[in-house]
Amino acid sequence: IFTISLILGTTITISSNHWIMAWAGLEINTLAILPLISKSHHPRAIEAATKYFLTQAAASTLLLFSSMNNAWYTGQWDITQLTHPTSCLVLTTAISMKLGLVPFHFWFPEVMQGTSLIIGLLLSTAMKFPPITLLYMTSPSLNPTLLTTLAILSVAVGGWMGLNQTQIRKIMAFSSISHLGWMAIVISYNTKLTLLNFYLYTMMTAAVFLTLNSIKALKLPTLLTSWTKSPALNTVLLLTLLSLAGLPPLTGFLPKWFIIQELTKQDMAPAATVISLLSLLSLFFYLRLAYCATITLPPHTTNHVKQWRTNKPVNLSIAILTTLSLALLPMSPM
């Protein structure tokens, strides 16, 4: 029921023309994911669900307020016709809260840490899709300077705060924040690039999360001893993480390349330089994850239980997603 409600809420939001319908879809989404977040009944999961509920409710209220304000001044509820400046400002705030863009990002790592890997994957991909579509539809009327500022801050904070983490879900949350920065900076100039970035990011994140779920790794020390369990999977995880960091021969470089190209076309070379340099910060913690997964072998006196090596076959979806997140860049001209 909850999964169907998630799909329903997303579909309502992305196919609506009327603000009330979009808002209703977002509400259905929020209410459907809450039981999934708190499924384990652990106090930490309940806390995460509460935090998620409060921020998303506030964001939905702001969204409703901005659309109502716009309807009050212009007399129509069409999503693409958001013209009133105050409404545009409030909507940018609301969508930043929904997505977890800086300075409204504080809830996201906490919620990710409180829930399981699979629900974390849902939170960082599927739950970002409806707000991204709203951003896509309203992008011509939003303030590009504000979006660029939020984007650069997001990439900076996503990189800096991820450096200090040992919990893998928090690291993935900060990586998500910096990727959202890359999407937000280009939405005013080329909306298709934002969507391309989102799809590729979803694919690579899904590959990483499913791999981590398959080796049951929640924190860096667990990753240290996972090499003996499935060497091939760990080797491919190394490459997928580098792809997520955006290194050239892999898929993750494709959206970054296009975005930098688009920004230089728009005479925003300084912004492109800054955002590229800041993404080196997140490269550092992806490299640390990759280092823990494959390059280093732990000393024999580990203080936690070594896991048994099981010969269970790797999930087909992991194989497909990983292949895509490594090999799409050479295929892109076709």
Side-chain angles (χ1 to χ4, degrees), residues 17 47 64:
N17 289 318
E47 180 193 341
L64 197 56

PDB file of all heavy atoms in Angstrom, residues 17 47 64:
ATOM      1  N   ASN A  17      -0.988  20.336 -13.420  1.00  0.00           N
ATOM      2  CA  ASN A  17      -0.829  21.714 -13.891  1.00  0.00           C
ATOM      3  C   ASN A  17      -1.255  22.703 -12.813  1.00  0.00           C
ATOM      4  O   ASN A  17      -0.922  23.874 -12.885  1.00  0.00           O
ATOM      5  CB  ASN A  17      -1.688  21.963 -15.135  1.00  0.00           C
ATOM      6  CG  ASN A  17      -1.140  21.231 -16.330  1.00  0.00           C
ATOM      7  OD1 ASN A  17       0.064  21.218 -16.527  1.00  0.00           O
ATOM      8  ND2 ASN A  17      -2.016  20.602 -17.100  1.00  0.00           N
ATOM      9  N   GLU A  47      12.720   8.868  15.461  1.00  0.00           N
ATOM     10  CA  GLU A  47      13.227  10.243  15.482  1.00  0.00           C
ATOM     11  C   GLU A  47      13.432  10.752  14.048  1.00  0.00           C
ATOM     12  O   GLU A  47      13.055  11.882  13.719  1.00  0.00           O
ATOM     13  CB  GLU A  47      14.560  10.260  16.249  1.00  0.00           C
ATOM     14  CG  GLU A  47      15.187  11.630  16.343  1.00  0.00           C
ATOM     15  CD  GLU A  47      16.629  11.558  16.822  1.00  0.00           C
ATOM     16  OE1 GLU A  47      17.018  10.521  17.405  1.00  0.00           O
ATOM     17  OE2 GLU A  47      17.352  12.534  16.601  1.00  0.00           O
ATOM     18  N   LEU A  64       2.378  25.767  -0.597  1.00  0.00           N
ATOM     19  CA  LEU A  64       0.971  26.141  -0.695  1.00  0.00           C
ATOM     20  C   LEU A  64       0.828  27.653  -0.536  1.00  0.00           C
ATOM     21  O   LEU A  64       0.058  28.306  -1.256  1.00  0.00           O
ATOM     22  CB  LEU A  64       0.182  25.408   0.392  1.00  0.00           C
ATOM     23  CG  LEU A  64      -1.318  25.341   0.225  1.00  0.00           C
ATOM     24  CD1 LEU A  64      -1.678  24.716  -1.104  1.00  0.00           C
ATOM     25  CD2 LEU A  64      -1.928  24.515   1.348  1.00  0.00           C
TER      26      LEU A  64
END
